[in-house]
C-alpha cells in the first residue's frame, strides 16, 4: 500500500461545504419563519426585530452570515462549470438525459450566483436602514425592492431546498428506498416556504 | 408487418483521415422480440459492413454494449425495440475514448481506475492449501456479492454530470467497488487508507448527487447509497485532528461505517 | 511494427487464462495477456451456475469426496475422459475453490438450521450443520451423487472472474485487450509466440514468449444457435490447428441445451422443466409424452434436445424470422412461483424477449452450449506437437469431460486446470531458455498480411454470408441427431464453403481503426476448418457416446471406440487428418452403465490387470 499522504486542505473542502451549507440552510429556515410572523401580526415581527437589535444579535449575525455565504460560495465554486466548454457540455448532457436531478444542479448554480449578489444588497440595505421594522420594509418594497424580492426569495428557497436534498443524498441520509418520500417532503417544504414568503411580502406591501 | 424503424447512428472513425463525425440513417423492419443487438447486427450484415459496435455476451452480463440510446446510456443488448419510438438515435458513450462509431474504450478506463483505487483484497495472510477456508457469514457474503455485481458497462459514468465535465472523476462504479472492499473483512484497509485513495474531488467528493448513475444502472445497483456511505466515512476521516475525536467517533458510528474504524 | 517479449503469453483472458497468468506472475515471471475484449467481459462472466468441488460442507453434500466427484465426472463423460486427468481435477478442485475464497470470491456460505430445498421440483426440508456455519455452501447440479456446486448467488462466473482480474491488477500483469491472435509463431517443434491484430488500430503486433498459453474458450459460434458469446469463435483452436502439428481432440463432442431462447439464444434453466414446465409445438400441443411416455420433458438434456429436433423436422416447429422454434410453457406454474423460484427465467424473458412468461409462451430451441473438444494437451497442459505451447479451459481438451460434461464441471475446470497448468508452466519455465526467430515472426506477419490483402481484393461472397452458410450446415447436418448420410452431406457442403472462402470479399474499405468485418473475415475460414473437424470426426465415429448421438449407430461401442479423436490439419488440405489414441492411460472406474440416459453398450475387451488402478494411488 502507498504510504499515507498528509491530509490536504482540498480533501476537507467537501466537509466544510456541507457544514457551511447546513448552517446557512438552518439560518434561512429560521429567518423566513421569523419574517413570516408578519402574516400573523406586524407587531410580533417588530418585537422580534427589536429584540435581535437590542441584543446586538442582528448586527453581529448579519456580517457573519455574509461571510459564511462567501465562504460557502468560495468552496462550492470549485464545482462550477467555469472551465472552457464545461457549461455547454453540461447543458447538452442535461438536455439529452432528461433527468430532473441533473437539471436541478444547474438551478443550484444559477441561484447561487443570484444569492451571492442579492444577499450583499439585502444585508446592506437592512443594516443601513436600522431599526428593523415592518414599516421600513414596506417602504423599501414600494421603493422598487419588490422586484428584487420576487427574484431573491424564490432563489433562496430553491437553493436551500435543493441544497438540503443534495446534502441528504450525497451523505447517504436519504437512501434509495426513501428517496421518493424525501423528494416529496422537500418539494412540499419549498412550496410552504414560498407561500409563506409571498404572504409575508403581501402583508408588508399593504402595511403602509 | 412490423413497424419501420429509423435508426440515426453516430458515425466517426477517428483514425481514418477521410472520416468526419456525422449521423447516418438506417431503416429496418421491426420483428418480434427484436433487441438492439439484433437490429445493429442486421444493419451491419445487410446494409453497412463498416458500422462499428461492441457486443459480447448479448445477455446483459458482460457490459460490452453500453451506448447512448435516445439520449440515455443503457445496454443495447437488453433494450428491446418495442420499448422505443419509431425513431431511434444511437450515440457512443461519452467520457470514454471513441474507437469508432458506437465502440468506445471502456477497458482501458476501468483498468486505470482499478489500479488507482487498488481494487483488490489487501491482506498479509498467505494462502494455505491445507487449511479450511476462513468462515464468513452468508448474509455478509451476499452483501459483498450484491456490490460485486457491477458489470463495468460505463453507463453510470456516461450519465454523470461530473464525469462529463471533469475527466479525472472516477465515477460511481469505482466508489461502489471501494464499498465492496470496505465491507469485506478479508481486506485489511482502514478508513484512513480508503481516504487516501478516494478522498478528493476526483473520488468520492466529486459526486454532486445528481443521481443519474442510479437511474441508468442496468443492474439496478444502489450506487448512490454506496456513494453516501463512503462519502460519510471518508468525510469523517478527513476531519481527523480538526473535529474533537469524540464527535468524530460519534459521526463515524452514526453512519454505520465503524466496521473498520 | 510493435513487438513485445515476455516469459508467458496468455491468449485469452477469461477464467482459465487469468488463472494461469496469476500463477505465472506469482512465481515472478513476466506475463502478457491478450484478449479480444477487456478481460472482465470474457464469456466466463456469463456462467451463472457454479463450480463443482467436493468440499462436502452442505448437508446435501455431506460425505462427499474427490473420489465420488471423480466417479460422477467419469460417468458423465460416458467413459470418454482421461481418468488420470479427471482424478487430478477432482482432487485439486476443493483447494482451488478455497484459494479463490482467499483471493476474495464472496462464495455463498452455509447457514445452519432448517432450510427448504427443491429436488425435481418437489420441496423438502434439510438441516444444515452448526459446525459448518460460514463454510462454502453448495447447490445441486445434474448428474451428481452429491450437491457439490459452489456458487455465489446467480453470478459465480462473474464474481470469480472479477476476483481473478483484481488479482491480475495487484500483480501488475500486462493486459492487451482488443487484440486478436491470428497465428502462432513456431518452427515446427517450438512455439515462440504469436502475431495478433490490434482491434483498435488494425495494425499487426508481434509477441515473443517462452511459454504461450491458449485459453480462448469454446467454438460455439460455428453453430447458428449457440449460448456462447459472439467472441466464442474458436480463435485459439484455429491458431493451434493451423500449425499443422498440434491436434484438436474430440471435436465431435459438442453439448446442446434444450432450452435456449429465440432469438438471442440465452439459456433458460432446466429448472423450468424440473418444476413442471412443458414443451409445446406450433399447435400448442404438448408433444414430449408421445416420444417419452414416462419422463416426458424431464428426460435427460440430450434426449429432450433430440426429440425437439425430431418434432421440428416433422413440420411442427413454429416459424419465425429467426428460424424455427418450439414453445416452453410455464404459465400454469403461477405468478408467485415464476417471480420467485424462476426469477431468472422471468427476467430473461421480459428483458430480452419481451415475453411475459406468466401469460405468454417462451420461444425455445435446442442450442449449442459447450465444446468438450479442443486443443489436445497432456495432463500438464502442454499441447501435443509444440514445445512451449499450453492450453487450458474450454479451449483445451485436457480431457476431463470426455463426451459429455457435467454442469458445474466446466466452470470449475477453468480455475482448477488454470492452477495446475499454471504450476506446470512455471516448472517448465524455470531454467528454460530458448531462441526467438525474427525470421519466423516476419514470415507469420507476412502470412497474416497476405490474408488481409487477399480478402481485401476478393470478389466472392462476404464473410457473413459464408459464416451463415457454415452455421446452417452445422445446425442441419451436424446437430444433435447425427447419421452417416447427413454427416457426409455436411462434410461435403463444408468443404465447398471452405473453397468459397478462398474468394471471400470485403465490403468495407481498409483503413486504420477497428474493422469488425475484417475481424470476422479473418476468422471464417478457420471456423469452417473447425466445423470440418467436428463434422468429419462425427462422421468417422460410428457409435453413440455422451453428446455424440448417431441414429445409425445408437450403441456406445467400448470395443472399438474407447478412443479420443485427434484432428490434424495439413496446409492445403480440405479435410482434417484423423488419428486416434486411447481415451485414458488407465482405468480407475472401468467402463460400465452410467445409470441414466439408457442406451445399449457394446462391451469392450476385458481390461488388463496392469491398466486397473485404485483411486488413492497418486493422490
Amino acid at each position: 500500500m502507498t504510504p499515507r499522504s498528509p491530509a490536504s486542505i482540498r480533501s476537507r473542502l467537501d466537509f466544510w461545504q456541507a457544514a457551511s451549507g447546513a448552517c446557512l440552510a438552518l439560518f434561512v429556515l429560521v429567518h423566513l419563519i421569523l419574517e413570516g410572523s408578519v402574516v400573523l401580526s406586524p407587531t410580533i415581527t417588530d418585537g422580534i426585530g427589536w429584540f435581535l437589535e437590542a441584543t446586538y444579535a442582528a448586527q453581529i449575525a448579519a456580517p457573519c452570515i455574509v461571510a459564511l455565504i462567501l465562504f460557502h460560495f468560495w468552496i462550492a465554486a470549485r464545482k462550477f462549470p467555469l472551465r472552457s466548454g464545461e457549461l455547454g457540455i453540461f447543458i447538452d448532457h442535461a438536455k439529452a438525459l432528461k433527468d430532473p436531478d441533473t437539471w436541478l444542479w444547474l438551478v443550484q448554480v444559477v441561484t447561487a450566483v443570484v444569492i451571492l449578489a442579492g444577499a450583499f444588497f439585502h444585508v446592506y440595505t437592512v443594516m443601513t436602514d436600522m431599526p428593523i421594522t415592518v414599516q421600513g420594509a414596506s417602504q423599501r418594497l414600494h421603493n422598487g425592492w419588490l422586484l428584487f424580492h420576487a427574484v431573491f426569495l424564490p432563489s433562496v428557497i430553491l437553493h436551500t431546498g435543493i441544497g438540503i436534498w443534495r446534502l441528504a443524498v450525497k451523505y447517504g441520509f436519504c437512501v434509495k428506498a426513501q428517496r421518493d418520500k424525501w423528494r416529496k417532503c422537500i418539494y412540499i417544504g419549498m412550496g410552504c416556504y414560498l407561500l409563506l414568503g409571498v404572504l409575508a411580502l403581501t402583508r408588508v406591501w399593504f402595511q403602509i | 408487418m412490423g413497424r419501420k424503424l429509423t435508426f440515426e447512428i453516430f458515425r466517426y472513425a477517428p483514425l481514418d483521415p477521410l472520416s468526419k463525425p456525422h449521423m447516418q440513417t438506417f431503416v429496418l423492419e421491426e420483428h418480434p422480440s427484436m433487441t438492439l443487438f439484433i437490429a445493429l447486427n442486421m444493419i451491419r450484415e445487410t446494409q453497412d459492413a463498416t458500422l462499428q459496435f461492441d457486443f459480447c455476451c448479448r445477455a446483459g452480463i458482460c457490459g460490452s454494449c453500453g451506448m447512448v440510446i435516445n439520449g440515455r446510456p443503457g445496454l443495447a443488448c437488453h433494450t428491446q425495440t418495442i420499448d422505443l419510438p419509431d425513431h431511434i438515435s444511437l450515440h457512443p458513450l461519452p467520457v470514454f475514448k471513441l474507437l469508432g462509431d458506437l465502440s468506445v474504450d471502456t477497458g482501458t478506463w476501468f483498468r486505470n481506475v482499478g489500479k488507482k483505487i487498488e481494487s483488490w483484497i489487501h491482506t498479509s495472510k498467505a494462502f494455505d492449501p491445507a487449511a479450511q477456508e476462513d468462515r464468513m457469514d452468508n448474509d455478509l457474503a451476499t452483501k459483498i456479492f450484491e456490490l460485486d455485481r457491477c458489470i463495468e458497462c460505463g453507463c453510470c459514468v456516461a450519465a454523470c454530470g461530473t464525469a462529463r465535465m471533469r475527466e479525472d472523476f472516477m465515477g460511481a462504479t469505482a466508489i461502489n467497488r471501494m464499498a465492496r472492499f470496505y465491507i469485506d473483512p478479508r481486506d485489511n484497509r482502514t478508513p484512513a487508507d480508503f481516504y487516501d485513495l478516494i478522498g478528493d474531488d476526483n473520488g468520492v467528493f466529486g459526486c454532486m448527487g445528481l443521481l443519474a448513475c442510479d437511474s441508468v444502472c442496468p443492474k439496478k445497483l444502489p450506487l448512490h447509497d454506496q456513494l453516501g456511505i463512503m462519502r460519510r466515512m471518508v468525510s469523517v476521516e478527513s476531519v481527523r485532528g480538526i473535529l474533537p475525536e469524540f464527535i468524530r467517533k460519534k459521526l463515524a458510528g452514526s453512519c454505520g461505517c465503524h466496521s473498520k474504524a | 511494427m510493435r513487438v513485445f517479449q515476455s516469459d508467458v503469453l496468455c491468449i485469452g483472458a477469461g477464467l482459465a487464462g487469468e488463472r494461469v497468468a496469476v500463477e505465472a506472475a506469482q512465481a515472478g515471471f513476466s506475463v502478457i495477456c491478450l484478449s479480444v475484449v477487456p478481460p472482465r467481459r470474457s464469456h466466463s462472466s456469463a456462467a451463472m451456475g457454479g463450480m463443482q468441488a467436493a468440499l462436502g460442507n452442505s448437508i446435501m453434500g455431506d460425505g462427499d469426496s474427490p473420489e465420488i466427484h471423480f466417479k460422477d465426472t467419469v460417468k458423465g463423460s460416458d467413459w470418454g475422459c482421461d481418468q488420470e486427468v479427471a482424478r487430478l481435477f477432482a482432487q485439486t478442485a476443493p483447494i482451488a475453490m478455497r484459494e479463490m475464497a482467499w483471493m476474495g470470491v464472496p462464495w455463498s456460505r452455509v447457514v445452519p438450521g432448517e432450510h427448504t430445498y427443491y429436488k425435481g421440483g418437489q420441496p423438502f426440508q434439510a438441516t444444515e450443520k452448526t459446525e459448518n456455519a460460514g463454510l462454502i455452501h453448495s447447490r445441486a447440479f445434474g448428474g451428481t451423487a452429491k450437491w457439490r456446486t459452489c456458487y455465489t448467488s446467480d453470478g459465480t462466473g462473474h464474481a470469480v472472474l472479477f476476483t481473478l482480474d483484481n488479482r491480475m491488477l495487484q500483480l501488475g500483469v500486462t493486459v492487451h485487450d482488443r487484440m486478436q491472435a491470428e497465428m502462432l509463431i513456431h518452427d515446427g517443434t517450438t512455439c515462440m509466440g504469436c502475431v495478433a491484430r490490434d482491434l483498435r488500430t488494425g495494425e499487426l503486433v508481434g509477441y515473443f514468449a517462452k511459454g504461450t498459453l491458449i485459453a480462448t474458450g469454446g467454438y460455439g459460434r460455428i453453430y447458428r444457435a449457440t449460448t456462447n458469446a459472439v467472441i466464442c469463435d474458436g480463435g485459439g483452436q484455429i491458431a493451434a490447428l493451423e500449425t499443422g502439428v498440434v491436434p484438436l481432440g474430440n471435436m465431435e463432442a459438442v453439448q446442446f441445451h434444450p432450452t435456449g431462447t429465440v432469438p438471442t439464444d440465452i439459456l433458460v434453466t432446466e429448472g423450468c422443466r424440473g418444476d413442471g414446465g412443458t414443451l409445446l409445438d406450433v399447435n400448442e400441443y404438448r408433444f414430449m409424452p408421445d416420444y417419452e411416455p414416462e419422463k416426458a420433458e424431464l428426460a435427460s438434456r440430450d434426449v429432450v434436445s433430440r426429440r425437439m429436433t425430431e418434432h421440428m423436422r416433422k413440420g411442427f416447429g413454429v416459424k419465425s424470422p429467426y428460424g424455427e422454434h418450439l414453445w416452453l410453457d410455464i404459465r400454469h406454474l403461477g405468478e408467485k412461483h415464476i417471480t420467485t423460484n424462476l426469477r431468472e427465467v422471468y427476467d430473461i424473458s421480459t428483458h430480452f424477449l419481451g415475453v411475459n412468461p406468466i401469460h405468454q409462451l417462451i420461444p425455445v430451441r435446442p442450442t449449442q452450449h459447450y465444446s468438450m473438444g479442443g486443443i489436445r494437451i497432456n495432463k500438464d497442459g502442454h499441447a501435443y506437437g509444440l514445445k512451449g505451447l499450453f492450453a487450458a479451459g474450454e479451449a483445451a481438451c485436457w480431457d476431463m469431460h470426455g463426451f459429455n460434461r457435467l454442469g458445474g464441471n466446466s466452470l470449475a475446470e477453468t480455475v482448477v486446470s488454470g492452477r495446475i497448468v499454471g504450476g506446470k508452466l512455471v516448472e517448465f519455465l524455470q531454467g528454460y531458455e530458448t531462441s526467438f526467430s525474427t525470421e519466423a515472426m516476419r514470415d507469420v506477419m507476412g502470412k497474416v498480411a497476405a490474408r488481409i490483402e487477399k480478402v481485401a481484393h476478393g470478389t466472392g461472397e462476404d464473410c457473413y454470408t459464408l459464416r451463415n452458410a457454415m452455421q446452417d450446415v452445422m445446425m442441419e447436418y451436424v446437430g444433435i441427431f447425427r447419421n452417416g448420410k447427413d454427416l457426409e452431406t455436411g462434410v461435403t457442403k463444408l468443404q465447398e464453403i471452405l473453397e468459397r472462402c478462398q474468394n471471400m470479399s470485403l465490403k468495407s474499405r481498409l483503413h486504420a481503426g477497428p474493422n469488425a468485418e475484417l475481424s470476422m473475415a479473418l476468422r471464417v475460414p478457420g471456423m469452417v476448418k473447425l466445423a470440418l473437424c467436428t463434422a468429419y470426426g462425427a462422421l468417422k465415429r460410428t457409435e453413440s457416446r455422451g453428446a455424440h448421438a448417431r441414429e445409425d449407430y445408437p450403441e456406445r461401442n467400448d470395443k472399438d471406440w474407447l478412443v479420443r479423436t485427434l484432428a490434424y490439419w495439413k496446409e492445403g488440405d480440405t479435410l482434417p487428418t484423423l488419428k486416434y489414441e486411447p481415451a485414458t492411460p488407465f482405468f480407475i472406474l472401468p467402463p460400465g452403465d452410467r445409470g441414466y440416459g439408457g442406451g445399449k453398450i457394446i462391451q469392450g475387451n476385458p481390461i488388463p490387470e496392469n491398466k486397473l488402478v485404485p483411486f488413492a494411488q497418486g493422490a
Side-chain angles (χ1 to χ4, degrees):
Chain A
M1 182 167 301
T2 49
R4 192 162 176 222
S5 55
S8 74
I9 293 175
R10 274 196 82 76
S11 329
R12 288 177 178 154
L13 293 181
D14 194 70
F15 177 81
W16 292 121
Q17 182 185 337
S20 57
C23 292
L24 286 168
L26 198 66
F27 164 76
V28 167
L29 297 183
V30 174
H31 179 56
L32 287 178
I33 291 276
L34 296 183
E35 286 290 345
S37 63
V38 75
V39 178
L40 294 177
S41 151
T43 326
I44 302 176
T45 318
D46 282 344
I48 295 169
W50 173 84
F51 172 78
L52 291 175
E53 266 175 67
T55 55
Y56 287 93
Q59 291 90 325
I60 296 165
C64 287
I65 293 296
V66 172
L68 199 55
I69 290 173
L70 277 171
F71 178 68
H72 182 69
F73 185 88
W74 172 66
I75 298 175
R78 75 192 196 282
K79 306 253 176 163
F80 270 35
L82 298 174
R83 287 174 240 179
S84 76
E86 282 182 351
L87 184 63
I89 290 173
F90 195 92
I91 291 175
D92 288 344
H93 171 68
K95 274 190 200 157
L97 200 62
K98 299 180 189 77
D99 213 65
D101 276 290
T102 302
W103 280 114
L104 284 187
W105 186 75
L106 274 181
V107 172
Q108 204 71 338
V109 170
V110 172
T111 52
V113 176
V114 171
I115 292 167
L116 183 72
F120 177 76
F121 287 114
H122 176 59
V123 172
Y124 180 79
T125 45
V126 174
M127 286 294 116
T128 52
D129 197 15
M130 294 283 219
I132 300 165
T133 59
V134 177
Q135 191 68 30
S138 185
Q139 235 145 33
R140 285 200 299 276
L141 279 191
H142 284 278
N143 290 342
W145 283 89
L146 183 66
L147 191 67
F148 169 83
H149 282 285
V151 177
F152 188 57
L153 176 76
S155 293
V156 169
I157 290 172
L158 274 173
H159 194 91
T160 308
I162 299 170
I164 294 172
W165 162 244
R166 285 266 185 270
L167 201 65
V169 165
K170 287 198 294 191
Y171 283 84
F173 298 107
C174 157
V175 295
K176 198 169 187 173
Q178 309 160 342
R179 218 170 273 160
D180 287 340
K181 218 165 76 188
W182 266 82
R183 206 191 301 262
K184 212 166 135 191
C185 289
I186 299 262
Y187 281 145
I188 291 173
M190 287 199 292
C192 290
Y193 265 98
L194 198 61
L195 188 68
L196 182 69
V198 170
L199 284 177
L201 280 177
T202 317
R203 182 70 188 81
V204 173
W205 177 265
F206 291 108
Q207 182 61 23
I208 292 182
Chain B
M1 277 294 271
R3 288 188 295 171
K4 282 261 174 284
L5 298 176
T6 307
F7 288 86
E8 245 197 280
I9 300 178
F10 176 84
R11 302 298 308 268
Y12 180 44
L15 293 178
D16 181 6
L18 298 178
S19 172
K20 296 233 159 24
H22 65 285
M23 300 300 286
Q24 189 177 350
T25 306
F26 299 95
V27 179
L28 206 61
E29 191 190 327
E30 189 178 36
H31 295 307
S33 297
M34 191 182 240
T35 61
L36 288 182
F37 164 72
I38 294 168
L40 282 169
N41 275 294
M42 275 186 172
I43 291 174
R44 178 149 82 192
E45 291 179 21
T46 61
Q47 300 190 27
D48 189 339
T50 63
L51 185 62
Q52 306 302 320
F53 50 77
D54 293 320
F55 283 100
C56 181
C57 76
R58 48 88 185 91
I61 294 163
C62 77
S64 294
C65 61
M67 57 183 71
V68 179
I69 305 155
N70 283 346
R72 288 180 76 82
L75 290 185
C77 72
H78 80 178
T79 303
Q80 294 168 46
T81 54
I82 199 163
D83 297 330
L84 298 172
D86 298 348
H87 199 95
I88 299 164
S89 81
L90 299 175
H91 286 82
L93 288 184
V95 183
F96 305 99
K97 188 184 166 195
L98 180 72
L99 297 175
D101 303 339
L102 300 173
S103 170
V104 293
D105 191 352
T106 46
T108 305
W109 194 94
F110 276 100
R111 219 153 184 83
N112 287 339
V113 162
K115 277 182 210 155
K116 204 147 80 185
I117 62 170
E118 301 181 11
S119 160
W120 55 82
I121 297 276
H122 289 57
T123 177
S124 49
K125 225 177 139 177
F127 174 65
D128 177 3
Q132 205 173 40
E133 64 271 24
D134 283 342
R135 288 167 198 258
M136 183 186 270
D137 186 58
N138 190 54
D139 287 340
L140 179 59
T142 309
K143 235 166 105 183
I144 295 172
F145 176 69
E146 282 302 307
L147 302 183
D148 224 3
R149 276 171 56 229
C150 169
I151 55 172
E152 301 193 346
C153 59
C155 289
C156 59
V157 179
C160 173
T162 309
R164 289 295 302 271
M165 294 192 296
R166 309 278 156 95
E167 269 188 8
D168 294 329
F169 180 52
M170 55 177 72
T173 171
I175 311 297
N176 176 69
R177 187 146 300 277
M178 282 315 248
R180 176 245 177 274
F181 287 108
Y182 182 53
I183 61 167
D184 195 324
R186 292 168 291 199
D187 194 317
N188 295 335
R189 281 179 284 187
T190 62
D193 298 321
F194 287 103
Y195 171 50
D196 275 345
L197 294 167
I198 57 169
D200 61 14
D201 281 342
N202 292 333
V204 73
F205 298 138
C207 166
M208 304 194 298
L210 308 183
L211 296 172
C213 52
D214 255 24
S215 55
V216 300
C217 177
K219 289 282 150 192
K220 305 268 175 278
L221 295 177
L223 293 171
H224 223 284
D225 290 353
Q226 298 311 314
L227 274 161
I229 291 170
M230 295 308 275
R231 188 183 207 124
R232 255 195 293 179
M233 184 265 284
V234 173
S235 279
V236 169
E237 191 57 36
S238 79
V239 288
R240 191 187 283 276
I242 294 181
L243 279 196
E245 204 53 9
F246 74 95
I247 298 181
R248 223 182 55 78
K249 284 241 165 82
K250 197 152 177 154
L251 282 172
S254 78
C255 61
C257 44
H258 47 276
S259 69
K260 289 186 182 174
Chain C
M1 181 173 87
R2 279 189 292 160
V3 175
F4 294 90
Q5 189 189 321
S6 58
D7 295 322
V8 178
L9 175 69
C10 287
I11 303 173
L15 281 176
E18 290 209 329
R19 186 63 193 80
V20 172
V22 162
E23 199 69 23
Q26 281 174 175
F29 290 103
S30 65
V31 184
I32 297 180
C33 281
L34 308 187
S35 177
V36 289
V37 291
R40 293 182 186 214
R41 314 220 184 286
S42 304
H43 198 47
S44 304
S45 67
M48 294 182 172
M51 299 189 174
Q52 282 206 43
L55 289 161
N57 296 327
S58 69
I59 190 65
M60 297 304 293
D62 199 28
D64 201 4
S65 72
E67 186 167 1
I68 303 175
H69 186 186
F70 163 81
K71 283 181 179 161
D72 284 342
T73 303
V74 175
K75 283 181 196 164
S77 79
D78 221 355
W79 277 269
C81 73
D82 180 325
Q83 298 202 6
E84 189 181 13
V85 167
R87 175 173 65 182
L88 192 60
F89 162 75
Q91 284 169 336
T92 313
I95 299 170
M97 298 310 130
R98 289 180 181 136
E99 190 171 31
M100 289 319 301
W102 168 77
M103 275 189 212
V105 172
W107 293 116
S108 292
R109 305 294 178 131
V110 174
V111 179
E114 196 174 67
H115 295 269
T116 304
Y117 294 128
Y118 288 83
K119 203 169 193 175
Q122 295 303 313
F124 66 93
Q125 305 289 317
T127 308
E128 295 288 356
K129 290 181 184 170
T130 315
E131 65 262 33
N132 286 348
L135 296 176
I136 298 171
H137 194 234
S138 58
R139 60 159 63 137
F141 257 46
T144 63
K146 301 277 180 188
W147 290 23
R148 74 167 74 85
T149 308
C150 311
Y151 64 100
T152 53
S153 301
D154 58 352
T156 313
H158 169 90
V160 180
L161 182 66
F162 272 51
T163 302
L164 264 178
D165 199 54
N166 285 338
R167 181 84 178 139
M168 296 259 290
L169 282 174
Q170 183 183 9
L171 294 167
V173 175
T174 309
V175 173
H176 292 176
D177 67 3
R178 291 181 187 266
M179 196 62 89
Q180 176 166 304
E182 297 291 353
M183 278 180 117
L184 294 176
I185 304 167
H186 68 101
D187 57 7
T189 52
T190 309
C191 182
M192 292 177 243
C194 80
V195 167
R197 232 178 95 252
D198 188 331
L199 302 181
R200 288 185 174 83
T201 62
E203 71 177 313
L204 297 183
V205 186
Y207 290 90
F208 275 136
K210 291 182 189 171
T212 304
L213 173 94
I214 296 179
T216 51
Y219 51 93
R221 286 279 153 183
I222 63 170
Y223 286 90
R224 171 152 285 192
T226 173
T227 62
N228 287 191
V230 297
I231 56 167
C232 298
D233 52 17
Q237 288 92 334
I238 295 169
L241 185 69
E242 287 181 341
T243 61
V245 289
V246 179
L248 303 182
N250 278 350
M251 291 294 278
E252 62 272 31
V254 177
Q255 191 178 69
F256 282 78
H257 196 286
T259 51
T261 57
V262 182
T264 32
D265 304 311
I266 303 166
L267 206 67
V268 294
T269 169
E270 284 176 329
C272 295
R273 284 170 293 127
D275 291 0
T278 56
L279 290 165
L280 308 181
D281 65 14
V282 66
N283 304 318
E284 299 197 11
Y285 170 74
R286 187 179 169 205
F287 59 91
M288 275 308 289
D290 295 352
Y291 294 100
E292 301 284 329
E294 237 172 83
K295 292 212 156 170
E297 281 86 358
L298 292 175
S300 68
R301 249 186 214 189
D302 39 342
V303 173
V304 176
S305 298
R306 277 176 226 150
R307 295 307 187 191
M308 288 169 76
T309 309
E310 194 178 344
H311 200 63
M312 283 195 284
R313 278 186 185 172
K314 285 183 188 163
F316 292 108
V318 185
K319 306 261 184 304
S320 86
Y322 312 107
E324 273 186 70
H325 63 79
L326 294 161
W327 299 115
L328 174 66
D329 185 7
I330 56 170
R331 294 175 298 186
H332 51 285
L333 301 181
E335 182 170 353
K336 186 161 171 270
H337 189 88
I338 293 172
T339 53
T340 54
N341 296 11
L342 297 173
R343 202 182 116 184
E344 191 190 308
V345 180
Y346 179 77
D347 286 348
I348 290 171
S349 305
T350 49
H351 287 156
F352 296 94
L353 309 174
V355 164
N356 182 348
I358 299 166
H359 306 294
Q360 290 167 292
L361 299 170
I362 308 170
V364 293
R365 65 182 161 203
T367 302
Q368 192 279 349
H369 185 47
Y370 188 79
S371 330
M372 272 76 75
I375 299 163
R376 179 62 183 137
I377 52 175
N378 66 16
K379 65 176 183 208
D380 297 340
H382 221 136
Y384 282 24
L386 274 186
K387 193 176 170 192
L389 180 64
F390 293 76
E394 192 179 348
C397 179
W398 192 20
D399 168 17
M400 55 168 280
H401 302 304
F403 274 78
N404 179 56
R405 65 116 187 145
L406 299 180
N409 255 358
S410 51
L411 204 56
E413 183 194 8
T414 60
V415 293
V416 175
S417 78
R419 189 175 200 276
I420 294 170
V421 173
K424 293 293 176 185
L425 177 57
V426 166
E427 270 177 37
F428 168 80
L429 288 173
Q430 265 146 5
Y432 173 73
E433 296 300 339
T434 180
S435 46
F436 297 133
S437 159
T438 55
E439 199 185 356
M441 178 175 286
R442 192 206 54 207
D443 284 353
V444 176
M445 283 260 180
K447 276 185 193 166
V448 178
R451 280 184 183 181
I452 296 171
E453 273 306 303
K454 192 176 161 199
V455 66
H457 294 104
T459 53
E461 297 144 290
D462 66 88
C463 64
Y464 299 113
T465 311
L466 290 164
R467 181 203 61 188
N468 292 347
M470 167 195 66
Q471 288 177 336
D472 287 340
V473 170
M474 291 305 283
M475 293 305 290
E476 184 67 23
Y477 303 104
V478 201
I480 299 162
F481 265 134
R482 297 165 176 184
N483 61 62
K485 194 169 140 261
D486 280 355
L487 288 168
E488 291 261 12
T489 316
V491 168
T492 314
K493 282 180 181 276
L494 287 170
Q495 283 179 298
E496 202 181 287
I497 293 167
L498 187 63
E499 188 58 38
R500 279 151 65 190
C501 285
Q502 291 293 322
N503 197 22
M504 186 195 295
S505 67
L506 205 62
K507 288 192 277 188
S508 50
R509 179 175 54 86
L510 284 186
H511 62 73
N515 186 337
E517 190 199 8
L518 179 61
S519 302
M520 175 60 72
L522 291 173
R523 277 284 191 259
V524 170
M527 289 170 80
V528 178
K529 287 180 189 170
L530 296 184
L532 271 163
C533 290
T534 307
Y536 194 56
L539 172 66
K540 292 294 169 192
R541 184 175 281 273
T542 48
E543 65 151 356
S544 291
R545 186 181 294 273
H548 172 66
R550 286 283 296 254
E551 292 164 303
D552 42 357
Y553 296 95
E555 307 85 7
R556 188 181 94 197
N557 185 343
D558 288 342
K559 194 152 167 274
D560 306 309
W561 286 105
L562 209 52
V563 292
R564 180 173 304 105
T565 312
L566 298 178
Y568 292 84
W569 199 283
K570 301 271 177 286
E571 206 175 322
D573 280 1
T574 61
L575 266 186
T577 308
L578 300 187
K579 292 182 185 170
Y580 295 93
E581 65 172 7
T584 178
F586 52 73
F587 293 88
I588 296 163
L589 192 66
D593 185 16
R594 295 163 96 186
Y596 55 86
K600 261 179 64 187
I601 300 170
I602 297 173
Q603 297 291 341
N605 301 323
I607 293 157
E609 217 33 58
N610 64 348
K611 290 274 182 191
L612 277 172
V613 171
F615 180 81
Q617 204 180 60

